[in-house]
Amino acid sequence: MFRMINIKKSLKSIYNEYLRYNCFFGSAFMFFDKMTGHYIEKKRFFKNRGYKLDLKNPVSFSEKVVWKKLYDRNPLLTLTADKYSVRSYVKRVLGENEGNKILIPLLFVSENPENIPFDKLPAKYIIKTNHSSGWNIVVNGTGTHPKEIIKICKKWLKQCYGLNKNEWAYKNIKRKLLIEELLLDENGDIPKDYKFFVFHGVCTKIMVFSNRYSTQGKSVVTYDCNWNKLQASASHHHIHDIEKPKTLKKMINVAEKLGKDFDFVRVDLYTVKERVFFGELTHYPMSGNNLPATQEKDIDSGKYWNLERNNFWR
């Protein structure tokens, strides 16, 4: 029994050391992948996409996402991948008044989870880190205990995000913990997530995610900017048509303004009671390894993206 406890302590110690040094390991991975002509990235791409990655003459959308990860060094990528500093970018682009209207109210920010004022927070909120994607805790009045939240957040803040996928934009973000007001729609549910694909300041399509946190499974449907359905994801359940939002024109306008400084960016927005809210800017959707469904559609999506207009090619 004593030996088993010691083994567990040793494993925990090794894991903590990994978290402590994982930024070093991530940077080492990026260096190694570069020195090998991006062997790992090419191997991963072929496994996920089913065709060879061409970095010298990228044509498909997925290839161009990977190219962006490896070569685009626009400093705005780091600024806007940071979920905290992007708030100032939104206000600078849209203006202070309009920016404040669409930003989700920020309840708390800190580098130390121990400082979270649980007793002063509302019953419902969402916790996230500024240096990652998908690391969220939804608090809706029940469930996760504060001690467990602090434990999870400490783990997140010890880790660098995205380096093992060559996602450069996250590398130099100073890690923080954010707590925002939890957006809920008219039915008290998490609102639909509208993802606008913006190329050179022009929106070409919109992916709509529904039931994001539902046990029934999320729904993903893609529309053009006139709300003609392009595709429903067969990998998700409960696919159904989404009613055209009354705020569509405004959301497209906001997305195109926020995307004008980039050759490509995905602008994630919400709409609640005919009011638009900003989610985040995404520069590397699925890290270039999952979308679209076929190589033909992948190439078709890539035609809107002209890499020769990129001024930050390394």
Side-chain angles (χ1 to χ4, degrees):
M1 183 68 177
F2 179 73
R3 185 179 179 185
M4 181 63 72
I5 292 173
N6 282 339
I7 291 173
K8 287 182 177 180
K9 285 184 177 180
S10 297
L11 291 174
K12 185 176 181 180
S13 176
I14 292 171
Y15 181 64
N16 286 333
E17 286 300 299
Y18 163 74
L19 292 180
R20 182 180 175 187
Y21 291 108
N22 88 311
C23 289
F24 167 79
F25 294 137
S27 296
F29 166 84
M30 293 180 75
F31 176 78
F32 175 80
D33 191 53
K34 178 184 176 182
M35 291 295 98
T36 58
H38 301 295
Y39 170 79
I40 300 174
E41 190 70 58
K42 290 175 180 177
K43 185 176 181 180
R44 181 163 49 196
F45 186 92
F46 183 78
K47 178 182 178 181
N48 291 320
R49 299 301 298 122
Y51 63 93
K52 290 184 178 180
L53 171 64
D54 185 350
L55 291 172
K56 292 183 178 179
N57 184 35
V59 176
S60 71
F61 174 75
S62 297
E63 286 178 317
K64 291 178 180 180
V65 170
V66 176
W67 185 96
K68 185 181 184 77
K69 293 194 303 181
L70 301 177
Y71 303 119
D72 189 347
R73 296 299 180 256
N74 182 349
L76 276 180
L77 297 181
T78 295
L79 176 76
T80 55
D82 183 331
K83 291 181 173 61
Y84 181 66
S85 64
V86 72
R87 298 172 71 90
S88 63
Y89 176 80
V90 169
K91 288 188 280 189
R92 177 164 63 83
V93 172
L94 301 181
E96 192 79 17
N97 290 336
E98 187 62 27
N100 284 326
K101 287 179 182 178
I102 76 164
L103 288 172
I104 299 172
L106 183 63
L107 304 176
F108 178 76
V109 57
S110 177
E111 298 175 20
N112 184 1
E114 296 278 1
N115 294 333
I116 298 176
F118 290 103
D119 57 334
K120 297 181 180 179
L121 293 172
K124 300 181 180 182
Y125 51 90
I126 184 167
I127 303 174
K128 59 183 70 172
T129 55
N130 68 321
H131 73 296
S132 66
S133 178
W135 293 358
N136 306 316
I137 301 174
V138 175
V139 177
N140 58 9
T142 59
T144 313
H145 191 276
K147 287 186 178 180
E148 184 64 22
I149 290 175
I150 292 172
K151 180 180 177 181
I152 293 170
C153 292
K154 282 184 175 180
K155 175 183 173 182
W156 285 345
L157 292 176
K158 287 180 181 178
Q159 299 182 71
C160 287
Y161 177 86
L163 299 191
N164 63 340
K165 295 183 287 185
N166 277 310
E167 296 186 346
W168 171 84
Y170 296 100
K171 184 177 181 180
N172 295 314
I173 294 176
K174 185 175 181 180
R175 284 162 269 170
K176 291 182 174 66
L177 184 70
L178 309 179
I179 299 181
E180 295 177 342
E181 181 180 300
L182 182 64
L183 290 185
L184 298 173
D185 63 17
E186 294 83 351
N187 299 316
D189 299 321
I190 301 294
K192 296 178 181 65
D193 193 351
Y194 297 87
K195 301 178 181 296
F196 297 79
F197 286 68
V198 181
F199 299 89
H200 307 288
V202 178
C203 179
T204 62
K205 67 178 181 180
I206 307 149
M207 291 183 70
V208 187
F209 282 63
S210 305
N211 305 318
R212 199 69 185 270
Y213 296 94
S214 171
T215 56
Q216 296 178 344
K218 62 184 176 184
S219 166
V220 184
V221 188
T222 305
Y223 293 88
D224 66 17
C225 292
N226 294 315
W227 213 248
N228 299 305
K229 187 162 72 172
L230 301 177
Q231 177 186 344
S233 173
S235 63
H236 300 99
H237 304 293
H238 308 288
I239 303 300
H240 56 84
D241 289 336
I242 304 296
E243 183 180 352
K244 178 180 176 180
K246 295 179 181 179
T247 56
L248 178 62
K249 185 176 180 180
K250 181 175 181 180
M251 284 196 290
I252 291 175
N253 181 259
V254 168
E256 291 184 339
K257 285 182 178 179
L258 293 176
K260 67 181 177 60
D261 290 330
F262 308 96
D263 52 358
F264 163 75
V265 69
R266 197 189 74 200
V267 183
D268 298 355
L269 301 173
Y270 304 95
T271 182
V272 177
K273 297 179 181 178
E274 299 188 30
R275 181 178 171 184
V276 175
F277 288 94
F278 172 78
E280 63 183 66
L281 297 184
T282 301
H283 298 290
Y284 314 128
M286 304 301 292
S287 208
N289 284 296
N290 275 331
L291 296 171
T294 66
Q295 185 176 358
E296 291 75 18
K297 289 181 179 179
D298 205 354
I299 292 172
D300 185 62
S301 295
K303 68 185 180 183
Y304 302 103
W305 190 345
N306 183 359
L307 293 180
E308 293 181 0
R309 294 171 61 182
N310 187 296
N311 297 321
F312 295 90
W313 178 70
R314 186 187 58 180

